[in-house]
Amino acid sequence: RVCVDICFSDFSEQFSGLSSPIAAESFNYKKFFEMVGLKKKSPEDVKKVFHILDKDRSGFIEEEELKFVLKGFTPDGRDLSDKETKALLAAGDKDGDGKIGAD
């Protein structure tokens, strides 16, 4: 369990409300972030989650790191499909460089 004041497992209850989280192509990043409450978190808490997702500590979240985001929230989590990963990346990639920065 990786924790930095915020633990992915702390979101398990909210995540369990998503319908069919294991089904292929069922991932909706907007609903997912709404369900786990990231929109309600402080900027500091969002940065903490960012640093947990940034597995290689590059200062960016790359496509390969996003594929595994669901596994951090629930033991039944699956890898995102390429299509789902690309949609999630596009939503967070503000400058079009193919990765998500901390800001």
Side-chain angles (χ1 to χ4, degrees):
R1 181 172 143 147
V2 177
C3 298
V4 185
D5 293 333
I6 293 178
C7 301
F8 282 141
S9 61
D10 293 342
F11 294 114
S12 295
E13 187 174 317
Q14 293 100 321
F15 184 73
S16 66
L18 288 172
S19 60
S20 305
I22 296 173
E25 302 301 328
S26 66
F27 181 75
N28 178 318
Y29 67 86
K30 290 179 183 177
K31 184 171 182 170
F32 174 75
F33 287 117
E34 180 181 313
M35 293 291 292
V36 298
L38 282 179
K39 288 185 176 187
K40 298 175 189 170
K41 299 290 181 196
S42 70
E44 295 81 24
D45 286 346
V46 172
K47 282 191 177 193
K48 289 173 186 174
V49 171
F50 176 90
H51 291 296
I52 292 169
L53 293 174
D54 181 18
K55 299 284 187 198
D56 64 3
R57 303 291 180 241
S58 66
F60 298 95
I61 300 171
E62 292 91 4
E63 187 172 339
E64 201 53 40
E65 292 167 319
L66 283 179
K67 282 186 179 233
F68 310 111
V69 69
L70 297 181
K71 290 182 177 182
F73 286 90
T74 177
D76 296 333
R78 63 170 174 80
D79 294 348
L80 294 177
S81 70
D82 288 343
K83 179 181 176 182
E84 292 167 322
T85 303
K86 288 181 188 317
L88 179 56
L89 180 62
D93 181 10
K94 302 298 182 200
D95 60 6
D97 65 355
K99 50 193 174 186
I100 299 171
D103 297 325

